[in-house]
Amino acid sequence: MSSLFLSSGSKCQVRIMKLLRRLHLYLGCFFAPLLLFFTATGWVQTVSMHRNKATGESESGAWWQKLTSIHVDQVYPLETADAFDPRLFQYLVVAMSICLILTVLLGVYLAFKSIRSKWWVSMVLLAGILLPCLLLWLGNIKE
């Protein structure tokens, strides 16, 4: 079925497309929990105006404050901890970030390779770039 969407359906191209799809699938599944976590805690950060900015956020705070602390400081604040070392978790986040970039780029590549109307893919991709820029620009208020 992959060769149906390729302009020149050589067996090598079909194998490469299958490999890229499988890589995209596994990277997406592996990092989905972390991406959901960082999306949810980033959401809380975005709408929360009164966030405690100290490392470890709040040892006795609400559970969502502790989760936000993981997002911001890469530590889970415990009352029993004397100090925090975020390096191991930061390595995982760097790996996740690199793989997310790779997965997104693979997704865009696969979108262009697996659909005949590349114009629609181009327009949606362009809208995904321009809409956030427009909204940020509109958010600038002059007094």
Side-chain angles (χ1 to χ4, degrees):
M1 185 167 168
S2 301
S3 62
L4 182 67
F5 299 113
L6 295 172
S7 54
S8 60
S10 74
K11 290 185 182 220
C12 182
Q13 285 179 319
V14 170
R15 274 191 242 128
I16 289 171
M17 288 300 289
K18 283 184 180 182
L19 175 68
L20 290 176
R21 283 190 182 104
R22 185 164 290 138
L23 180 63
H24 186 257
L25 180 135
Y26 290 135
L27 286 174
C29 288
F30 180 80
F31 286 109
L34 272 175
L35 294 172
L36 290 172
F37 170 78
F38 278 101
T39 300
T41 56
W43 177 7
V44 170
Q45 283 179 276
T46 301
V47 298
S48 177
M49 296 295 219
H50 306 291
R51 189 179 91 68
N52 183 357
K53 304 252 186 207
T55 300
E57 185 102 2
S58 173
E59 286 87 15
S60 60
W63 62 271
W64 63 268
Q65 286 178 319
K66 290 185 179 191
L67 293 180
T68 300
S69 184
I70 295 171
H71 186 107
V72 176
D73 304 315
Q74 296 81 47
V75 296
Y76 185 80
L78 297 173
E79 290 99 18
T80 58
D82 295 326
F84 304 106
D85 186 2
R87 284 179 291 179
L88 291 175
F89 193 75
Q90 287 173 342
Y91 295 145
L92 178 63
V93 171
V94 167
M96 177 195 66
S97 300
I98 291 168
C99 289
L100 175 60
I101 291 168
L102 176 62
T103 301
V104 168
L105 292 174
L106 277 173
V108 170
Y109 174 77
L110 291 172
F112 277 105
K113 289 301 262 183
S114 63
I115 195 163
R116 291 183 186 185
S117 178
K118 293 173 184 12
W119 185 86
W120 281 107
V121 175
S122 300
M123 290 300 105
V124 170
L125 187 60
L126 185 62
I129 295 167
L130 295 179
L131 182 61
C133 293
L134 175 65
L135 295 176
L136 288 170
W137 181 74
L138 289 173
N140 287 305
I141 299 171
K142 294 181 181 177
E143 293 188 28

